[in-house]
Amino acid sequence: MVKAFGYSSNGGPDVQEFLDLEMPTPLPDELLVEVRAAGVNPVDWKIRSGLLGAASPGDLPAVLGSEVSGVVREVGKDVEGFQVNDEVFGTVATGSGGYTEFTVLPATAAAHKPPQVSFTDAATLGVAAATAYDGVTQLGLKEGQTLLINGVGGGVGVAAAQIARDLNINVIGTASEDKRALVETLGATLVPYGDGVNGRIRQLLPMASTPSSIWPAERACAR
């Protein structure tokens, strides 16, 4: 049996419980992974609560978590590029979860973990970093343009700043003053939260003349 943490019905934190489940079996295009670390995201409790749709009886019990890192223990017969004992990270397959000893990843949603990246850090990349990559690349910015990230000190913001920096895009971002050191290590210019933040942004981005040009937290505005 496999130890996991999840829920047997939609609801609040009180429905969460430890579970004893059968060892998952990967499909031909999937990887069975022994989990070393799992990411924790707001979407986890939203799924548990039913905000994103009530779970059907056939989907329960369900395991919490969407992203993991770990070691491959079995490779689906149609999978190429992975083998047993590879260290990997990625997002879990539909119907699987991350808060467990073993889970299943689609090979297309997995990547080899670089040796210099810890399992803990790698486990946090599947959701936030993928969201950041999609957001930055879909903007289609050119080298030398400037990207404003509201909430640059959060998970998506930290990843987005580094992706943009590597594309030679200038980055400024709003965050609390106590995150200045972190923001500057990302190659971004901090705009502190608080009274007058809109004015401070306008000084750096003259074209951002109205608050409506600034997107909600952890989304981006290019100028």
Side-chain angles (χ1 to χ4, degrees), residues 39-42 67 121 123-134 136 149-164 174-175 179 182-183 186 193 217-219:
V40 178
N41 294 280
E67 56 185 356
D121 288 346
T124 68
L125 296 176
V127 174
T131 300
Y133 179 83
D134 287 344
V136 172
I149 303 174
N150 286 330
V152 69
V156 175
V158 166
Q162 295 175 83
I163 292 167
T174 60
K179 290 190 175 181
L182 167 64
V183 172
L186 304 175
Y193 287 147
E218 293 202 334
R219 297 182 68 184

Side-chain angles (χ1 to χ4, degrees), residues 52-108:
L52 303 183
S56 64
D59 295 330
L60 297 170
V63 179
L64 288 160
S66 303
E67 56 185 356
V68 301
S69 64
V71 180
V72 175
R73 295 307 183 202
E74 186 177 341
V75 178
K77 66 181 182 64
D78 294 338
V79 174
E80 297 181 356
F82 294 95
Q83 59 186 7
V84 172
N85 293 328
D86 280 352
E87 296 180 349
V88 299
F89 68 96
T91 52
V92 302
T94 301
S96 300
Y99 301 5
T100 180
E101 294 176 304
F102 290 86
T103 194
V104 172
L105 306 183
T108 55

Side-chain angles (χ1 to χ4, degrees), residues 4-207:
F5 189 69
Y7 53 97
S8 296
S9 64
N10 290 126
D14 56 299
V15 305
Q16 297 176 173
E17 59 183 347
F18 285 99
L19 305 167
D20 289 312
L21 303 175
E22 298 290 335
M23 176 71 73
T25 301
L27 295 175
D29 59 348
E30 296 177 338
L31 304 170
L32 175 66
V33 173
E34 183 178 359
V35 176
R36 296 293 179 82
V40 178
N41 294 280
V43 72
D44 298 341
W45 72 261
K46 293 176 182 179
I47 293 172
R48 181 211 65 214
S49 69
L51 284 177
L52 303 183
S56 64
D59 295 330
L60 297 170
V63 179
L64 288 160
S66 303
E67 56 185 356
V68 301
S69 64
V71 180
V72 175
R73 295 307 183 202
E74 186 177 341
V75 178
K77 66 181 182 64
D78 294 338
V79 174
E80 297 181 356
F82 294 95
Q83 59 186 7
V84 172
N85 293 328
D86 280 352
E87 296 180 349
V88 299
F89 68 96
T91 52
V92 302
T94 301
S96 300
Y99 301 5
T100 180
E101 294 176 304
F102 290 86
T103 194
V104 172
L105 306 183
T108 55
H112 291 93
K113 184 185 75 65
Q116 68 271 26
V117 177
S118 70
F119 282 108
T120 301
D121 288 346
T124 68
L125 296 176
V127 174
T131 300
Y133 179 83
D134 287 344
V136 172
T137 57
Q138 288 175 22
L139 286 171
L141 301 178
K142 308 295 185 187
E143 287 190 18
Q145 287 190 284
T146 298
L147 177 69
L148 167 63
I149 303 174
N150 286 330
V152 69
V156 175
V158 166
Q162 295 175 83
I163 292 167
R165 177 199 65 199
D166 289 349
L167 294 173
N168 294 316
I169 296 165
N170 301 314
V171 179
I172 67 172
T174 60
S176 58
E177 181 63 39
D178 61 5
K179 290 190 175 181
R180 177 175 294 278
L182 167 64
V183 172
E184 291 178 350
T185 65
L186 304 175
T189 299
L190 174 71
V191 180
Y193 287 147
D195 293 341
V197 64
N198 289 343
R200 292 190 289 275
I201 290 172
R202 292 189 186 105
Q203 290 179 346
L204 293 170
L205 293 178
M207 292 179 64

